[in-house]
Amino acid sequence: MIRALLAVLAACLLGAPAQAQTPWTLVKTYPHDPSAFTEGLFYHDGALYESTGLEGRSDIRKVALKSGKVLQRRVVDPPYFGEGIVNWKDRIVSLTWRHRRGFVWSLADFAPQGEFRYEGEGWALTQDGRHIIMSDGTAQLRFLDPDSLTEQRRITVTWNGRPVQRLNELEYVRGEIWANIWYDTRIARIDPASGAVIDWIDLAPLRAKAGVTDNEAVTNGIAYDAARDRIFVTGKYWPKLFEIRVETRPRG
C-alpha cells in the first residue's frame, strides 16, 4: 500500500506531459515468463537476452522470442540482486543493485570473464555503439568507457526543466535513449546530448493487457531490433511481451 501511494505521489510530481504523447500501435504479442522479475532486456542476433532480479532468484538468460522458452541461463549467486544488462562485442555486462559491483560474462556461453566497481546503485544499461550508458535510480545517466567500464561523463534527464527521477531500464533507439520510469507506465524518450525528455510513450494499455495486478508488476524492459526496426516491451512478472510500432521523427 505504501509503495502504491508513493507511486501515485511520484506520478503527480512528474506531471503530465505538456505535449501529445508519442503514438504507438501493437504489432504482436509473445509469451513471457510470468515469474521473471525483469531488470534488463536487449535483442541480439535473433534472440532476447534478459536479466532478472531479487536476491537468490537473479539470473541472466537467453530467450526464444516466439516461444518465450529459456534457451540458456546463468544464475547470479546470492547475495547479489541482479539488475540491468547490455551486450558489448563478445561480452555481456551486468549490474547489481546495491553491492556496487558489476560483472562481465561471455555472450556466447555466459561464462564469467571479470568484474568492475561503481559508486551508488546499479539499475540498468544500454549502449550507443560508443559508450555503455547506465542508470542508477536517480535523474542522472552515466556514460562509461565500454572497455574499461570507467565513468566518462554524466547527463541529468529533465522534463520542462525539472529532473526526472527513478530512471530504470534503458534502450538506445533511433539515436535516442529510452527509459522506463520506476512505478510509471511511461517511457521517456531522452536526447542523449542534453538529457532533455523529447516526449513520452505511455504503455498503460499494455500493462492492462498483460493482466497483472501486483504492485511490483511494473513496466520494465525495452529491447530494440535495429536491423528490422522492431521494438519489444514487457514488465516485471508480465506473462506477455509485446512488439509495438512507434512513430518518431528521425534524429540527425
Side-chain angles (χ1 to χ4, degrees):
M1 177 63 71
I2 293 175
R3 286 194 171 186
L5 291 174
L6 288 174
V8 172
L9 177 60
C12 292
L13 290 174
L14 189 58
Q19 64 191 87
Q21 293 173 342
T22 303
W24 58 269
T25 54
L26 177 61
V27 178
K28 289 183 182 178
T29 301
Y30 304 91
H32 180 253
D33 181 0
S35 69
F37 196 76
T38 305
E39 297 289 0
L41 191 70
F42 68 84
Y43 181 91
H44 175 73
D45 198 21
L48 289 167
Y49 290 76
E50 183 173 13
S51 61
T52 68
L54 301 175
E55 184 178 331
R57 293 174 54 188
S58 299
D59 67 10
I60 296 171
R61 51 180 72 175
K62 181 179 180 180
V63 180
L65 171 62
K66 292 184 178 180
S67 67
K69 179 181 178 181
V70 177
L71 304 174
Q72 192 170 312
R73 182 170 180 261
R74 177 82 191 198
V75 171
V76 179
D77 294 329
Y80 299 112
F81 186 120
E83 287 281 350
I85 57 172
V86 69
N87 61 308
W88 182 262
K89 297 179 180 178
D90 60 350
R91 299 173 291 159
I92 291 176
V93 180
S94 73
L95 300 175
T96 61
W97 183 22
R98 290 179 167 171
H99 282 85
R100 302 183 179 187
R101 179 173 293 180
F103 298 103
V104 181
W105 316 87
S106 165
L107 179 62
D109 60 8
F110 295 175
Q113 293 192 338
E115 59 183 68
F116 63 103
R117 306 287 297 198
Y118 50 85
E119 292 302 313
E121 296 183 357
W123 282 43
L125 295 169
T126 190
Q127 55 112 332
D128 62 2
R130 296 175 298 164
H131 312 91
I132 288 177
I133 305 166
M134 170 183 169
S135 65
D136 58 13
T138 70
Q140 293 193 325
L141 294 176
R142 311 180 190 188
F143 288 71
L144 312 181
D145 179 277
D147 295 313
S148 66
L149 298 173
T150 55
E151 184 177 335
Q152 304 296 298
R153 64 184 179 93
R154 298 189 183 198
I155 59 173
T156 298
V157 175
T158 61
W159 171 251
N160 288 340
R162 299 177 62 182
V164 178
Q165 303 288 343
R166 306 182 324 281
L167 299 173
N168 205 352
E169 221 278 306
L170 304 173
E171 185 71 6
Y172 192 75
V173 181
R174 303 171 186 160
E176 303 170 355
I177 303 169
W178 289 14
N180 287 120
I181 311 298
W182 189 44
Y183 277 117
D184 196 306
T185 57
R186 291 176 294 177
I187 292 173
R189 295 174 45 211
I190 303 162
D191 181 335
S194 67
V197 173
I198 301 161
D199 202 2
W200 302 88
I201 303 166
D202 191 357
L203 300 182
L206 291 184
R207 188 178 190 277
K209 193 172 182 66
V212 291
T213 57
D214 189 323
N215 287 336
E216 298 300 322
V218 297
T219 305
N220 205 49
I222 313 166
Y224 182 51
D225 173 10
R228 298 178 61 182
D229 195 27
R230 296 188 296 174
I231 297 163
F232 306 100
V233 294
T234 191
K236 301 176 188 290
Y237 298 142
W238 286 22
K240 300 175 181 178
L241 177 138
F242 301 99
E243 179 184 341
I244 60 173
R245 180 177 295 109
V246 181
E247 301 300 332
T248 62
R249 295 180 180 179
R251 297 179 57 80

